[in-house]
Amino acid sequence: MALYSEVVMDHFMHPRNVGTIEDASGVGEVGNAKCGDIMKIYLKIENDIIEDVKFETFGCGSAIASSSMATEMIKGKSIHEAMALTNKAVAEALDGLPAHKLHCSVLAEEAIKSALKDYYEKNGIPYDKTQFPDCENCGHCHD
Amino acid sequence: MHVYADNAATTKMSQVAINAMLPYFDKVYGNPSSLHSIGQEAKEALDAARETVAKCLGCEPREIYFTSGGSEADNQAIISAARVGARKGKKHIISTAFEHHAVLHTLNKLEKEGYEVTYLDVKEGHNVTARQVRDAIREDTCLVTTMYANNEIGSILPIAEIGAVCKEAGVPFHTDAVQAAGHLHINVKEQNIDMLSLSGHKFHGPKGVGALYCRRGFPLTNVIEGGAQERGKRAGTENIAGICGMAAALEDACQHMDENMPKVAAMRDKLIEGLSKIPHCALNGDPVNRLPGNVSFCFEGIEGESLLLLLDFKGVSGSSGSACTSGSLDPSHVLLAIGRVHDVAHGSLRLSLSEYNTMEEVDHMLKVVPEVVEHLRKMSPVWRDLQTGKREYIL
Ligand SMILES: Cc1ncc(COP(=O)(O)O)c(C=O)c1O
Ligand SMILES: [Zn+2]
C-alpha cells in the first residue's frame, strides 16, 4: 500500500519490542480509546541506561510503527538521550508519515516521557516538570 | 488469493458494461445535440439508455435525468424539493441520522439557509420505521429524504411503507438508492417514490455517471447551468459512453438479480456466522432487512486502520469506519448514530460482497480475519485492560 513508506510498513508488519515488562522501572500510557490511539511503554532502567523497553499499542498503522521505531531508538540509550527523543525524529526515522498521521507519532514521544516521569517519581528522583507534556489536555484529541 | 470485499465502495466493471461503452469512444462519438447522423446516432444511444434505466425502475424514460453520479443526483433532488418548499413557505425536511455525506452535507447547507431538518434516530434496530417518519411530518414539511439502504451497515429501509406515509401526507419523498439499485427490486410507482438517486459504479458499471429519477410534474432546480441537455435540467454534453455502460450494467444486474441475490446472501450469512464467533464483537446494521452483500462488525480492543492494512497484506480488501481511515478524528457518523461508542466504533470492519466473490474467498476471510484480530488484540493495551478487568467490556 502506497499510503505508508516501506520503513513504516516494515515496523507495522513486524513490530519490534511488543509486550510488557513485569517489574518495569517506569510505565507510561497516553492517548485514549475515544480518539483512537493508545500507547503504553514499559521501561527497564539500570544505572540510567534503558536496558529494556516494551510497548503495547491500540491504534492505526502509523501509531504501531511509531511505537516500534521509538522503542528501537531508545533501547540501550541513557535516560537523558531518551528524554531528548522527539516525534519529529521518530517520523524521520520512519522515512516520513502522511501529514494527517503525524499526530499518531506524537504519542510515541509522549508515552516515553510519561514512562520516564513514572520512573523518576517511583524513585524519588527530582525532575524538571516543564519537560513533560500534561497528558490530561494533550491537544491531539478533541472531545 | 486476493479477495476484493469492498463492493460498497465501488465495483469491478462487468464485461457487458465495458462492451456497451466501447463504441462511443471512437465510432459513435457524436454530440447528441448535433443534427448530423453521427450526432443522431449518439442521440439514439442516449434515448435507448434512458429507456433501459426507466424500465429497471418502473418509470417513464422522460422521468430519468442523467447526472455525474450519486452525489449530484442527491444534491439536485434535495435542493429542488427545498426550493419548491420555500415557495410555499415550507422549510422543514425529514431525513435520518445515517445518510451518506452527499445527503447530509446538502442538508447542512440548507440548515445554514434557514431550513430545519429532523434527523430520525436509527439506534433502534439500526433502522428507521415508517411510523417514525409519520410522527415527524409537520404542516411545513417539504421533503422526506431517506436512503434506500445504508452503505456502511447494510440496513434496508422500509421504503414502500415510507412512500405510502409520504403520499398520504402529500409530502415529496426522495430516496438515495445508490446502494440498492441493481441489487434490490425497485419500482418507484408502486413504492410511491417521487425522486430517486442511483450511481453507475455500484453495480459493475462505470464511475462518474448516475441518474436521478424525478416524478413527472415535480419541478427540478438546476445544479449545473448551461445548455438544454436533460430537458434543460442538467447542462453539459452527455457522457454517452458512461451512460450506456451504466444502463447496460443496470439491465444486466436487474436481469440476474433473482439468481445473484440468494448467492451473495449465502456468502454474507456464512461470513456473518463465522465472524460472530470472534469474542467481543457485534454485528452492525439490521440483521434481517440487510443488503445481500453487507457484512459489518465492530471488534472491541482494536483499531480499524491497522486491521485493514493487515488484511490487505493477507489479500483481503475491506473498509472501516475508524477515525484513522477517514482522515478526521471522529469515527464514522453511521456507527455513532447506531449507538456505537467511540471506543468500539474505531474497531469496525466492513466486508461488502458481490456475485464475483466465491465461497472459497469467504473461507479465506474466515481464516484471516480472526487471525488478524487476535494479532492486534495481543499488542493492544485496551485489550489487556479488558482481559484483566481494569476496563469493562462494551461488546
Ligand atoms: C449511499 C450512497 N449515496 C451516495 C453515494 C455517492 O455516489 P457517487 O460516488 O456516485 O457520487 C454513495 C457512494 O459512495 C453511497 O454509498
Ligand atoms: Zn492514528
Side-chain angles (χ1 to χ4, degrees), chain A residues 36-37 60 62-63 101 103-104, chain B residues 324:
Chain A
D37 288 308
C60 62
S62 167
K101 292 288 185 176
H103 77 275
C104 312
Chain B
C324 266

PDB file of all heavy atoms in Angstrom, chain A residues 36-37 60 62-63 101 103-104, chain B residues 324, ligand 2:
ATOM      1  N   GLY A  36      -8.896   7.099  19.436  1.00  0.00           N
ATOM      2  CA  GLY A  36      -8.460   6.058  18.501  1.00  0.00           C
ATOM      3  C   GLY A  36      -7.026   5.616  18.578  1.00  0.00           C
ATOM      4  O   GLY A  36      -6.626   4.756  17.818  1.00  0.00           O
ATOM      5  N   ASP A  37      -6.206   6.184  19.458  1.00  0.00           N
ATOM      6  CA  ASP A  37      -4.833   5.710  19.600  1.00  0.00           C
ATOM      7  C   ASP A  37      -4.452   5.705  21.087  1.00  0.00           C
ATOM      8  O   ASP A  37      -4.612   6.709  21.765  1.00  0.00           O
ATOM      9  CB  ASP A  37      -3.833   6.631  18.864  1.00  0.00           C
ATOM     10  CG  ASP A  37      -3.915   6.492  17.344  1.00  0.00           C
ATOM     11  OD1 ASP A  37      -3.845   5.360  16.854  1.00  0.00           O
ATOM     12  OD2 ASP A  37      -4.059   7.524  16.666  1.00  0.00           O
ATOM     13  N   CYS A  60      -3.696   2.936  14.787  1.00  0.00           N
ATOM     14  CA  CYS A  60      -3.546   2.719  13.354  1.00  0.00           C
ATOM     15  C   CYS A  60      -2.128   2.255  13.019  1.00  0.00           C
ATOM     16  O   CYS A  60      -1.262   2.157  13.891  1.00  0.00           O
ATOM     17  CB  CYS A  60      -3.855   4.011  12.619  1.00  0.00           C
ATOM     18  SG  CYS A  60      -2.743   5.339  13.043  1.00  0.00           S
ATOM     19  N   SER A  62       0.232   3.807  11.585  1.00  0.00           N
ATOM     20  CA  SER A  62       1.201   4.840  11.933  1.00  0.00           C
ATOM     21  C   SER A  62       1.540   4.813  13.420  1.00  0.00           C
ATOM     22  O   SER A  62       2.695   4.960  13.818  1.00  0.00           O
ATOM     23  CB  SER A  62       0.599   6.189  11.520  1.00  0.00           C
ATOM     24  OG  SER A  62       1.319   7.233  12.062  1.00  0.00           O
ATOM     25  N   ALA A  63       0.535   4.599  14.254  1.00  0.00           N
ATOM     26  CA  ALA A  63       0.752   4.560  15.704  1.00  0.00           C
ATOM     27  C   ALA A  63       1.592   3.345  16.084  1.00  0.00           C
ATOM     28  O   ALA A  63       2.517   3.441  16.901  1.00  0.00           O
ATOM     29  CB  ALA A  63      -0.592   4.535  16.433  1.00  0.00           C
ATOM     30  N   LYS A 101      -1.258  11.950   9.663  1.00  0.00           N
ATOM     31  CA  LYS A 101      -0.922  10.862  10.580  1.00  0.00           C
ATOM     32  C   LYS A 101       0.142  11.269  11.587  1.00  0.00           C
ATOM     33  O   LYS A 101       0.535  10.476  12.436  1.00  0.00           O
ATOM     34  CB  LYS A 101      -0.392   9.659   9.789  1.00  0.00           C
ATOM     35  CG  LYS A 101      -1.435   9.004   8.938  1.00  0.00           C
ATOM     36  CD  LYS A 101      -2.391   8.260   9.819  1.00  0.00           C
ATOM     37  CE  LYS A 101      -3.386   7.495   8.982  1.00  0.00           C
ATOM     38  NZ  LYS A 101      -4.255   6.693   9.831  1.00  0.00           N
ATOM     39  N   HIS A 103      -0.002  13.183  14.072  1.00  0.00           N
ATOM     40  CA  HIS A 103      -0.456  13.187  15.472  1.00  0.00           C
ATOM     41  C   HIS A 103      -0.308  11.815  16.117  1.00  0.00           C
ATOM     42  O   HIS A 103      -0.167  11.705  17.319  1.00  0.00           O
ATOM     43  CB  HIS A 103      -1.889  13.706  15.584  1.00  0.00           C
ATOM     44  CG  HIS A 103      -2.929  12.697  15.183  1.00  0.00           C
ATOM     45  ND1 HIS A 103      -3.310  12.513  13.872  1.00  0.00           N
ATOM     46  CD2 HIS A 103      -3.647  11.823  15.915  1.00  0.00           C
ATOM     47  CE1 HIS A 103      -4.228  11.568  13.831  1.00  0.00           C
ATOM     48  NE2 HIS A 103      -4.460  11.130  15.035  1.00  0.00           N
ATOM     49  N   CYS A 104      -0.344  10.771  15.293  1.00  0.00           N
ATOM     50  CA  CYS A 104      -0.204   9.418  15.847  1.00  0.00           C
ATOM     51  C   CYS A 104       1.215   9.179  16.358  1.00  0.00           C
ATOM     52  O   CYS A 104       1.420   8.403  17.289  1.00  0.00           O
ATOM     53  CB  CYS A 104      -0.567   8.370  14.802  1.00  0.00           C
ATOM     54  SG  CYS A 104      -2.116   8.675  13.944  1.00  0.00           S
TER      55      CYS A 104
ATOM     56  N   CYS B 324      -9.029   6.853  11.949  1.00  0.00           N
ATOM     57  CA  CYS B 324      -7.736   6.885  11.280  1.00  0.00           C
ATOM     58  C   CYS B 324      -7.827   6.488   9.814  1.00  0.00           C
ATOM     59  O   CYS B 324      -6.868   6.626   9.077  1.00  0.00           O
ATOM     60  CB  CYS B 324      -6.703   6.054  12.030  1.00  0.00           C
ATOM     61  SG  CYS B 324      -5.748   7.101  13.161  1.00  0.00           S
TER      62      CYS B 324
HETATM   63 ZN    ZN C   2      -3.722   7.093  14.147  1.00  0.00          ZN
END
